[in-house]
Amino acid sequence: MIDVERLLILREVARHGSKAAAARSLTLSEPTVAHHLRALERRAGVPLTARAGRVTRLTPAGEALLQHADAIAASLEDAERCLHRHADLRVGRLRIAAFTSYCATTLPRPLAQFAATYPGVEIGLEETETDEALALLRDGRADLVIGFADSATPTPDDLPLTPLGQDEYFAILPDSHPLAGRTRLDLGALAHERWISGCARCRTHLVAHAADSGFVPHIAFVTEDYIAAQRLIAEGLGVALLTRLALDASPAIPGIVAIPTQPPTYREIFLALPREPAPAAEAFAALLRGA
């Protein structure tokens, strides 16, 4: 395959009429230019340049090759302009993967701000649980992840992370429950209840927190729909652990109470990027850090 750099050197010799002038234009030494031209001629199998006094002119074969060199140079200039547009975010792509309650509460405002600031960037959002979101990031199918972790499901250690805050867990009970008037609640007091749980990470947290309180929860219902969980509780079918974001993401459901746990427990919200993030992902991450 013909070396592109050598084609561009040939083009500069044709433009300037000498190896010395081409060398100055390219900030190379004249022997370096001569070396590349000789190598290009060996690859071509025919002479590409000829001296006419002090001027270096192209042979017919060199002229034929120059047309391709001009086309390649134009294509490279287009590629460079494209990269600059991506670098300054006139164009680009941002694929976000984030968990449900963050999508429903916190994400829309900064996403709208980003879209208004960078209208040329194509934005995509996949609402999915943290483990799947991290898999998308590692596979190159997402550019930025917003996930959560806690003591039972620690944060990943193979990606650059930024903490975005804490999200407190609450015990959710029917308002007719004997413990509904408590200001704080040890989960051990709910050891014999039927439990409603959600995603795998939420179930892991529930089981770990219950173990700290001395019991194994009887999980009777599994749903990732926060509204469904709260309506089941309102009907007296069980109790649950839900976070502040999950409650804020739902309309007010009559017939339930939310009580902080004792001791309080939280999940940590984090932002994850690949080790070499796209410019759009870096810009959105900066916006979230500032917020």
Side-chain angles (χ1 to χ4, degrees):
M1 184 178 293
I2 295 174
D3 187 287
V4 171
E5 182 182 5
R6 289 168 178 163
L7 272 180
L8 298 180
I9 288 174
L10 177 71
R11 182 171 179 264
E12 286 300 302
V13 170
R15 289 176 62 191
H16 294 282
S18 74
K19 297 182 183 71
R24 288 193 295 272
S25 172
L26 295 167
T27 63
L28 298 173
S29 69
E30 186 175 350
T32 299
V33 169
H35 164 77
H36 283 298
L37 285 178
R38 287 193 299 271
L40 186 60
E41 288 180 329
R42 285 196 299 272
R43 182 71 179 83
V46 293
L48 300 174
T49 63
R51 288 291 297 272
R54 294 186 176 182
V55 177
T56 300
R57 301 193 183 281
L58 299 190
T59 65
E63 291 286 355
L65 194 55
L66 178 63
Q67 296 178 29
H68 296 283
D70 285 338
I72 289 170
S75 180
L76 289 174
E77 288 168 3
D78 284 343
E80 193 169 79
R81 284 192 292 270
C82 178
L83 289 176
H84 283 312
R85 289 197 298 271
H86 276 272
D88 62 18
L89 298 181
R90 282 179 285 166
V91 298
R93 181 181 65 185
L94 175 62
R95 298 167 301 173
I96 300 170
F99 62 95
T100 302
S101 57
Y102 196 91
C103 289
T105 56
T106 310
L107 187 59
R109 186 179 296 277
L111 205 55
Q113 182 180 345
F114 183 87
T117 305
Y118 305 108
V121 175
E122 178 187 352
I123 300 173
L125 171 64
E126 182 160 349
E127 178 191 302
T128 187
E129 293 307 324
T130 295
D131 291 322
E132 174 61 23
L134 291 170
L136 292 174
L137 187 70
R138 293 185 178 104
D139 290 346
R141 291 178 288 154
D143 302 306
L144 180 149
V145 160
I146 299 161
F148 67 86
D150 53 42
S151 57
T153 52
T155 54
D157 57 8
D158 61 330
L159 295 166
L161 303 180
T162 299
L164 295 178
Q166 292 183 320
D167 190 17
E168 185 174 4
Y169 281 94
F170 293 81
I172 313 300
L173 315 177
D175 61 7
S176 59
H177 195 283
L179 301 177
R182 297 282 183 91
T183 56
R184 284 205 172 266
L185 191 59
D186 187 318
L187 284 199
L190 302 173
H192 302 295
E193 300 285 346
R194 288 178 300 193
W195 284 86
I196 302 163
S197 186
C199 72
R201 283 190 170 228
C202 297
R203 288 196 298 277
T204 299
H205 176 83
L206 169 61
V207 170
H209 194 25
D212 290 341
S213 297
F215 72 99
V216 176
H218 168 48
I219 299 175
F221 302 93
V222 175
T223 175
E224 295 184 21
D225 185 326
Y226 303 128
I227 298 174
Q230 291 171 78
R231 291 196 182 279
L232 290 170
I233 295 166
E235 295 296 333
L237 292 170
V239 298
L241 271 184
L242 293 177
T243 68
R244 170 55 63 195
L245 282 183
L247 295 171
D248 290 346
S250 311
I253 305 295
I256 64 172
V257 293
I259 305 173
T261 62
Q262 182 61 44
T265 62
Y266 304 87
R267 61 181 180 180
E268 306 291 333
I269 300 172
F270 64 83
L271 180 155
L273 292 169
R275 298 219 170 264
E276 295 184 4
E282 287 186 314
F284 190 68
L287 191 157
L288 288 180
R289 293 185 194 108

